[in-house]
Amino acid sequence: PYQNLNGEVKDNEGSRYENEDLKKIMILGGGPNRIGQGIEFDYCCCHASYQSSDSGYQTIMVNSNPETVSTDYDTSDILYFEPVTLEDVLNIIESERPFGIIVQFGGQTPLKLSLPLFHWLKSANGIRSGCKILGTSPTSIDIAEDREEFTKILDELNIRQPLNGIARNEKEAINVAQNIGFPIVVRPSYVLGGRAMEIVRNIEELKRYISEAVKVSPDHPILLDQYLSNSIEIDVDALSDKDGNVVIAGLMEHVEPAGIHSGDSACCLPSISLSDFTLNTVREWTSLIARKLNVVGLLNLQFAVKKFNKDKTMVFILEANPRASRTVPFVSKAIGKPIAKYATELMQGKTLKDLD
């Protein structure tokens, strides 16, 4: 027998967990170690589990990675050592019936599942499960990933981005590239860790790239961006709550020029060479985008600053990701604040004012 939250004594026979009356939160991890999947995401998943447990929830970790702390026996109350795929996750939801799911902390792998999960949760079976995705809506996550939709939002907010385009075949790619002008950065959409991203300097290189990139991501289009040579890249990690309040946890200046992937580059905090104009522009744009996307939890943004001459400096936004990023552990340790834990509390309904 055991006592539930209402003080009633219940027979434990046939139930798997003593505290099964607690609301459950399921955290989706990043899956096995592989090139492109940052181990930093495991840090965020662990902190999400610790904070959910401190908030009185029973925690479920879904992650098939023997080399990480998230799959240690004492990190979460329940561990499913299963692949992070839609079928496996749905099976676990139907079995465990969690109150909420956290998809923001495991990198691109669980993020890809957010929209299919969202549609399933709106179906009859999903409604019966009583489960929801916590934090930023998967529709907002999808808008940020969708180049065309995200460009519409930036135009609406009057936020500058590099000239860009999207192509689904070689002919479209050549037209877009000629409109932008070489050199350009090309990459398939929806891939891990900047895989298959290249700087292309002429038509011949572009044709070769397209034939190879299609093998990497055949179902998704190719993104083409103006390459801002000799510019400074900025990474921002921010927290946003359900009321639209935004706090920047870290504003980092990259050491290498823009165009080196964040997984291969170094950054410093606080920034060294950025002007007050640049810093204020980045702060303003961060708040505008977080509110427009209704971000609840973590948001990572990347900017580029290009100096054209002594009197002309321009700031461009490169991308916005409503999720945890590789830089979260670095920022947390640099500023002495557990921002992944704060983000978990925001996703559970608290505000930044509640967290002081």
Side-chain angles (χ1 to χ4, degrees):
Y2 71 99
Q3 198 173 46
N4 69 10
L5 293 176
N6 299 320
E8 303 162 334
V9 176
K10 298 181 76 175
D11 185 359
N12 200 35
E13 188 179 345
S15 78
R16 285 174 294 169
Y17 310 110
E18 259 187 40
N19 54 349
E20 67 173 9
D21 291 340
L22 289 176
K23 279 187 176 180
K24 300 172 185 175
I25 284 184
M26 178 192 285
I27 300 150
L28 302 186
N33 287 358
R34 62 224 188 265
I35 292 171
Q37 179 69 40
I39 200 70
E40 297 87 345
F41 297 125
D42 195 66
Y43 168 99
C44 298
C45 291
C46 291
H47 277 239
S49 184
Y50 301 150
Q51 185 57 55
S52 297
S53 187
D54 290 345
S55 300
Y57 294 95
Q58 193 174 16
T59 55
I60 305 168
M61 184 69 67
V62 181
N63 200 10
S64 54
N65 190 338
E67 299 207 43
T68 58
V69 181
S70 67
T71 54
D72 282 0
Y73 72 95
D74 57 353
T75 296
S76 302
D77 297 311
I78 305 164
L79 170 65
Y80 277 90
F81 202 83
E82 299 291 337
V84 186
T85 64
L86 183 62
E87 182 180 1
D88 288 281
V89 171
L90 289 179
N91 286 339
I92 297 166
I93 291 171
E94 290 178 331
S95 173
E96 293 289 350
R97 294 182 176 269
F99 153 73
I101 308 171
I102 292 177
V103 299
Q104 281 187 24
F105 289 169
Q108 199 73 28
T109 303
L111 218 62
K112 278 182 176 178
L113 302 183
S114 62
L115 211 55
L117 278 173
F118 180 68
H119 291 315
W120 183 85
L121 292 171
K122 291 201 302 184
S123 69
N125 287 338
I127 291 168
R128 277 199 298 274
S129 74
C131 178
K132 61 182 179 180
I133 292 174
L134 301 179
T136 308
S137 166
T139 52
S140 291
I141 293 171
D142 191 59
I143 286 169
E145 293 270 10
D146 186 314
R147 177 53 60 94
E148 289 165 318
E149 292 300 317
F150 187 57
T151 297
K152 288 177 191 173
I153 284 177
L154 295 180
D155 291 342
E156 193 179 319
L157 297 174
N158 200 24
I159 291 175
R160 188 186 305 107
Q161 65 175 333
L163 296 173
N164 65 82
I166 193 164
R168 290 171 179 83
N169 55 53
E170 183 180 296
K171 186 179 178 183
E172 284 182 15
I174 291 170
N175 286 337
V176 171
Q178 288 172 334
N179 288 334
I180 295 172
F182 291 99
I184 54 174
V185 178
V186 286
R187 59 199 163 113
S189 60
Y190 279 95
V191 296
L192 284 174
R195 194 158 59 103
M197 181 190 290
E198 277 188 35
I199 297 168
V200 168
R201 302 184 185 280
N202 53 52
I203 295 285
E204 288 68 35
E205 286 185 16
L206 180 62
K207 288 180 178 177
R208 175 196 54 75
Y209 173 84
I210 290 165
S211 64
E212 293 174 6
V214 169
K215 298 172 191 170
V216 175
S217 186
D219 301 323
H220 296 291
I222 294 164
L223 308 178
L224 301 93
D225 293 271
Q226 174 189 7
Y227 177 56
L228 301 169
S229 56
N230 300 318
S231 55
I232 297 169
E233 190 164 341
I234 301 170
D235 243 291
V236 172
D237 281 320
L239 291 161
S240 183
D241 66 19
K242 62 183 180 182
D243 296 339
N245 302 308
V246 184
V247 167
I248 291 179
L251 196 158
M252 296 151 275
E253 179 180 346
H254 280 233
V255 175
E256 292 86 358
I260 307 296
H261 189 266
S262 58
D264 297 314
S265 61
C267 59
C268 54
L269 193 161
S271 61
I272 294 168
S273 68
L274 303 177
S275 66
D276 288 341
F277 165 77
T278 296
L279 293 172
N280 290 331
T281 301
V282 167
R283 290 178 187 128
E284 182 188 346
W285 288 2
T286 296
S287 295
L288 286 171
I289 290 169
R291 292 189 186 108
K292 186 67 180 177
L293 291 175
N294 296 313
V295 172
V296 179
L298 280 165
L299 171 68
N300 173 258
L301 305 102
Q302 289 159 28
F303 301 87
V305 184
K306 185 168 175 65
K307 196 167 187 176
F308 290 91
N309 55 50
K310 188 174 68 175
D311 303 315
K312 186 180 179 185
T313 300
M314 294 177 79
V315 182
F316 298 82
I317 185 164
L318 302 178
E319 60 180 304
N321 300 297
R323 58 165 173 81
S325 71
R326 283 183 169 86
T327 45
V328 165
F330 165 63
V331 170
S332 297
K333 290 167 185 178
I335 69 171
K337 303 285 183 185
I339 60 173
K341 285 186 175 181
Y342 292 162
T344 305
E345 292 187 89
L346 298 179
M347 293 160 77
Q348 291 164 0
K350 289 189 177 180
T351 63
L352 285 163
K353 190 176 180 181
D354 295 333
L355 304 183
D356 196 25

